[in-house]
Structures are given as C-alpha cells and as structure tokens.
C-alpha cells in the first residue's frame, strides 16, 4: 500500500511539479518548527513510531546531518546507509537495496544519488515516502525550499523579489530547484555565469541571463552564489579558478558598486576565494549559516507533511500531537 499525504502526495522529488499553494504550505509549516530547534529539549513526538532510512550515495555534510537532526527532533527512528559499507559496494541495485529495507517495514526513504532521476525511479517502485536529497544535476528540493525560506525571512515577500543565481548553473540541482520554486512564487529570477556553465535553453525556465556579474549585482536584491562543482567537470569549463574569481567571483570590491545592500546566499560547501571571497561569505550581508539553520525546519516540515501531518501545525506543535499512524 502506498502512503500518500493529502497535502503533498507520496513523495517530494522536486519543486517543479509543486503548486504555489503547496510550496507556501511547506514554508508556513516550517515556521513553528524553527522554534523547536531553539528549545533546551529539541524534541517533539510527531513522528514517533516512524522509521526513516537515509540513503546517501554521494558525499554530504549539510543535507545528511540536517535530515538526521530533523528526524530525531520529530522522534522518528532513523538508519543511515552509504554506498561504502553497504551491499551497494558489492553491486546490489538501488531497487534491491530499497526492497530489502522495505522488508524491514520502513516508512520513508531520504535519498541522495549521483544519477538524475534516481529518486523518482525509486519512488515509483516502493510504497514508502521518498524524499529527494539531491539527484545528480536534476533537483535538490529541500535546499531550494530552505533558500526560499531564508529569502522570505529577510525580505518578508517573494513576489517581485529579484534573485540572481551566480555560477555553475549547468551542474546545479540547487539552481534548478530555486528557479522552479521562486518562479512559481512570483519572484524575478536571473542567472549569471560563463556561457560554458549555462545550460542551453535556460531562458525557457523563465529566467533572465546575465553574462557580466557587475550587471547582475546592479539588478538584484539577492545573490545565491553557487559552488564551482569541480568534481563534475571533466572538461575545462573555465580557464582557471583564479580567472573565474577575477571575472565572476563575488568580492567585497564588486559589492561596493551595488546600488543597494545585497543579501548573499550560498548553499555550501564554499570554495573560498573562487566563487566567493571570505570577507563576503563571513560578512554582514551573508545569510549562509541562517540557510543551514532553516534547513532543519524545512526538513522537519517536509517529513511531517509527507507523513500525513496537518498543515495547520502551530496548534499541533504546541500540543506535541503526532501524525496519523
Ligand atoms: N547544500 C548541500 O547540499 O550541501 P551538502 O552537499 O553538504 O549536503
């Protein structure tokens, strides 16, 4: 039997298929969860009795640990599995691994995988709820949501907000999730980077393209700066890292030319001195660590909603009520 929540459906694979109402519901549900992480005892019994498997086939610090904190703060039982140390290293397929986990009566799978489409492939084959924690260059929906929540926290609006995503858009699942989510919510979205790091036809996603970072800085209210994904670059997409920093790096000198204070986001991990200089990453306009804090609340909201939790959470959170069994 599949487990489908009325609010979101069975799985969260990406932001592309979500409606404005559904994205807003996740953001609004995250709000009361922020407070739980500030308590002395950071735990509510909302997912008590639920078993969640975190299946990470690619390296991760923020997403993996953030999901684990979110699950533990909701009182779920969790198991972490990586490619190394599991039977995947002996050639077991993704579906065989998941079916064996299903046989142990799990409820949810959080999956990060190098292959675009891995999360939806799995979701179509197992009855457990599946959450995409990043699949190749396809989507990273909870990162997109936490970025959007951080923007909303700061500006108190998303409609008409000008957000420019700067850097390696070609390899970025974070860029795609941000574009889908922000465009759906009525923000104005742009991308900026070398042509070699722009997917062909990116304009069709409803974004403006800047070839010069100075023009992007002049236009935007916020910059979401992407990491150069050196591990995904077989060919020379940029002449050198020093050259990339010289032409596209977000530096204090460049920001001083901005007509207004820009909010600076970065999904991490940061290549300091490449796509962003340290004095910007650690400077007064950076919300990089606030993004990480918001990540836990967003993941709590997604887990709670997919498990069948009611969207009007404020009351449920206060009373500590769980979700349907
Ligand atoms: N932002 C992000 O996905 O970071 P990790 O790769 O550390 O999870």
């Amino acid at each position: 039997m599949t487990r489908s929540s009325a609010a979101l459906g069975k799985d969260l694979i990406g932001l592309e298929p979500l409606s404005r109402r559904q994205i807003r519901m996740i953001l609004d549900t995250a709000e009361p969860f922020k407070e739980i992480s500030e308590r002395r005892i950071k735990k509510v019994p909302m997912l008590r009795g639920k078993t969640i498997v975190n299946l990470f086939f690619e390296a991760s610090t923020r997403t993996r640990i953030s999901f684990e904190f979110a699950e533990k703060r909701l009182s779920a039982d969790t198991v972490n599995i990586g490619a190394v140390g599991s039977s995947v290293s002996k050639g077991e397929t993704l579906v065989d691994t998941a079916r064996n986990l299903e046989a142990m009566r799990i409820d949810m799978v959080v999956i990060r995988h190098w292959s675009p489409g891995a999360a939806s492939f799995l979701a179509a084959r197992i009855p457990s709820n599946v959450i995409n924690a990043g699949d190749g260059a396809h989507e990273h929906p909870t990162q997109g949501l936490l970025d959007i929540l951080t923007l909303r926290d700061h500006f108190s609006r998303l409609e008409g907000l000008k957000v420019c995503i700067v850097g390696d858009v070609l390899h970025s699942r974070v860029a795609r999730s941000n574009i889908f989510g922000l465009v759906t919510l009525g923000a104005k979205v742009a991308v900026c980077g070398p042509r070699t790091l722009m997917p062909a036809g990116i304009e069709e996603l409803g974004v403006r393209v800047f070839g010069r970072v100075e023009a992007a800085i002049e236009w935007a209210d916020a910059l979401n700066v992407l990491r150069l994904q050196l591990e995904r670059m077989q060919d020379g997409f940029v002449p050198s890292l020093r050259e990339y920093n010289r032409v596209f790096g977000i530096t204090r000198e460049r920001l001083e030319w901005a007509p207004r204070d820009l909010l600076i986001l970065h999904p991490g991990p940061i290549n300091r001195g490449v796509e962003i200089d340290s004095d910007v990453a650690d400077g007064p306009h950076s919300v990089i660590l606030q993004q990480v804090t918001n990540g836990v609340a967003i993941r709590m909201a997604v887990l709670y909603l997919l498990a069948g939790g009611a969207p009007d959470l404020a009351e449920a959170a206060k009373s500590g009520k769980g979700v349907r069994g």
Side-chain angles (χ1 to χ4, degrees), residues 59-64 112 140 143 267-269:
S60 168
T61 299
R62 277 147 290 271
T63 312
R64 185 173 59 81
R112 170 168 288 195
H140 190 349
Q143 179 70 47

